Every structure is written in structure tokens, then in C-alpha cells.
Amino acid sequence: MKPGEMGDDLPPEMEVATAAARAAGEVLGRFFGTDYTVRTKESYNLVSDADVQAERAIVEVIRRTYPDHAILGEEEQKDDAGAEHLWIIDPLDGTNNFVHAIPHFAVSIAYYHQGVSQCGVVFNPIRNDWYTAVRGQGSWVNGQQAHVATADKLTEVLVGLGFYYDRGAMMEATLCAMRELFQAHVHGIRRMGTASLDLCQVGCGMYGAFFEYELAPWDFAAGLLFVEEAGGRVTDCTGGDLPIERTSLLASNSKLHDAVLEIVSRHFR
Ligand code: IPD
Ligand code: CA
Ligand code: CA
């Protein structure tokens, strides 16, 4: 990535976010494909030493520059989500892919000021893909400006989705919405297993839309800004604003938002 290509006036937090993502990526690269211990946090939700050590690497980099900032991480770091300066981090998004040696996972880091995201980085260390976004300046993939798809019909796009870690009502609702999307003749449905990258794929125009009925803030904090700065729209699955807490999520290229919302909201419970 060439940060100079991302804009003239980058916030200083962007440099720290990039350094932290790089540090976590090095940790993940060391573990990927090796023999490490995997534990189950709750049904189907896995965690490994790679997740924990990558989170520690991120925290160390952020703390070096901003010792007083709050950090909300998935694994260990649980500071106040209402803090004035807040970092929301997922050290390894796509743990299930990682554990099964699928090279589609990412480090996700977002910086919020007074409850509003200012910049975000999503980094796939295997492909060396950098997705970056700065509020008011835009989104970039590997230094190139990113834009959502221009399609205005469901029949012209792929739609991404996720299932969270549920095999009950939420899974059934997701399957029902997926069936309706197929019946609306979308080009196809994708379930890639890394929500942060799914959001970036909306921002890059690969998907017309992406939804999941439950996500945590660390799954979407950076990707949400990436989509919005690329010209897209993000709401919850009832059309409301996203809180900085567990929520449903629908991201789209804007033009398709209402059409997908009509389907996903009907099945959401
Ligand atoms: C998960 C991934 C997955 C999504 C799950 C998330 P994790 O994050 O983003 O795509 O479907 O809801 O929890 O557990 O791999 O960090
Ligand atoms: Ca995650
Ligand atoms: Ca994670």
C-alpha cells in the first residue's frame, strides 16, 4: 500500500492503524498453516492462539502512540465503547477460514472519535490486500480509489451473506432471505466467511449487497466506513442506523438498498 495515494490529508490515526494491522498480519502469517491450538468459545465460534496474539500485537502498537485511548477488541481488550477516543479491532476476522487453511481472513481496525468512525483498515495478510477508508476522503483498495457497483437491478449483482454462529431461528431466517434473493434472479449468492472483507467487497463493487442478521462491532466497524466512503449505504436489517454494539447489518451500493431491505427485513426476527 502507498499511503500517499490515499489522500492529501490523512489523519495520524491512519498511520497507527496501518502499523497495527501490519503487526497483527505478521502474527497471523506465522501461525497460518501450522499446528496451533484451537478452542471453542461458544457453539461453532472458534478462537486460537493466533487471534489472541494478533490482538496483543495491535494493542501494543496503538498504546505506544495513544496510551489513553480506549480499545474494544474481540478477544481480551474490553474498554468502554462510549469513550471519546475508541479503537474497535478484530485481530482475526474469519477464524473459521483461518483454521481450515482458507486464505480468506483479515485484520480489521477502526478508529472512532466521539462515537463517529474516522478511519479504518481491513488487511488480508495472505494476499497483501489493504482496504482503507478515511471519513470525508474516500475508500481505497491497495491505493486505488474504491467505488460501489453502479447496478440498479438485483438481476445484475452478486449478494453476499453470513450466518453468524447460529443453527436455529437466525439460520432459518437467513436461508429464507437467501431463497428469495435467488428467486429475484441475482447473479449468485456468496458466503465467504469474513464479514469485514464482505463489506469491502461491497465497497469495491464485487457485491451489490451484503447482509448478516447478527454481527459484533469489531466485525463491521472498519468495513462500514469503507462501504460508506465508497458511495454505499449501511443500515441494520430494519433500515435503522447501526449502533456500536451487536446488530443486524445490511450494506449495499445504495441503489439496491431498498430492494434488498424489503427481503431481509421481512425475515428478520
Ligand atoms: C465472523 C466472520 C463471519 C461472520 C461471523 C463473524 P470471526 O468473525 O466475520 O464471516 O459470519 O458472524 O463472527 O469469529 O471469524 O472473527
Ligand atoms: Ca469477526
Ligand atoms: Ca475474530
Side-chain angles (χ1 to χ4, degrees):
M1 182 179 58
K2 298 174 191 137
E5 292 178 16
M6 296 190 322
D8 295 335
D9 190 21
L10 290 182
E13 293 83 5
M14 193 65 194
E15 199 178 320
V16 173
T18 305
R22 193 173 277 120
E26 277 166 20
V27 173
L28 299 181
R30 276 204 303 278
F31 277 95
F32 187 57
T34 66
D35 195 14
Y36 51 84
T37 308
V38 178
R39 300 175 294 282
T40 304
K41 286 201 276 198
E42 64 207 54
S43 302
Y44 314 108
N45 189 351
L46 308 177
V47 62
S48 71
D49 291 344
D51 302 62
V52 173
Q53 289 196 25
E55 182 168 308
R56 288 178 189 166
I58 295 169
V59 170
E60 192 185 320
V61 173
I62 295 173
R63 287 260 185 269
R64 225 181 280 150
T65 311
Y66 300 115
D68 301 331
H69 286 194
I71 303 176
L72 177 62
E74 178 172 11
E75 307 305 337
E76 295 181 328
Q77 199 65 41
K78 301 286 181 191
D79 293 343
D80 176 16
E84 180 182 0
H85 298 280
L86 174 68
W87 295 77
I88 304 183
I89 63 176
D90 192 339
L92 170 48
D93 188 33
T95 299
N96 233 316
N97 284 345
F98 186 91
V99 164
H100 295 286
I102 297 172
H104 187 81
F105 53 84
V107 181
S108 176
I109 300 178
Y111 166 69
Y112 279 63
H113 182 236
Q114 294 179 336
V116 180
S117 57
Q118 302 301 316
C119 59
V121 174
V122 177
F123 173 45
N124 176 339
I126 300 299
R127 290 177 50 92
N128 197 27
D129 278 340
W130 290 89
Y131 303 88
T132 52
V134 178
R135 177 163 299 280
Q137 293 191 25
S139 299
W140 295 265
V141 52
N142 298 326
Q144 301 293 316
Q145 189 112 36
H147 300 285
V148 293
T150 55
D152 57 8
K153 294 187 191 67
L154 279 179
T155 52
E156 297 172 339
V157 296
L158 289 173
V159 174
L161 56 80
F163 285 92
Y164 190 61
Y165 295 106
D166 175 86
R167 304 286 163 94
M170 204 187 299
M171 177 198 73
E172 295 295 344
T174 308
L175 291 171
C176 290
M178 181 172 82
R179 178 182 297 110
E180 275 204 46
L181 286 161
F182 273 128
Q183 288 166 344
H185 304 291
V186 294
H187 278 173
I189 299 286
R190 295 290 181 270
R191 195 290 191 251
M192 306 280 274
T194 303
S196 58
L197 289 174
D198 288 318
L199 287 164
C200 293
Q201 288 174 212
V202 174
C204 291
M206 298 171 187
Y207 296 160
F210 163 78
F211 78 96
E212 187 156 347
Y213 284 138
E214 183 171 330
L215 282 173
W218 42 82
D219 298 317
F220 63 76
L224 157 65
L225 184 63
F226 188 90
V227 172
E228 290 182 340
E229 287 295 326
R233 185 171 167 209
V234 185
T235 65
D236 68 15
C237 287
T238 68
D241 291 343
L242 288 196
I244 308 180
E245 57 192 44
R246 284 189 177 278
T247 178
S248 61
L249 180 150
L250 167 62
S252 76
N253 70 342
S254 295
K255 291 181 182 169
L256 293 171
H257 207 84
D258 290 345
V260 182
L261 182 62
E262 199 277 312
I263 294 173
V264 301
S265 63
R266 200 147 20 79
H267 297 285
F268 181 53
R269 20 185 128 157

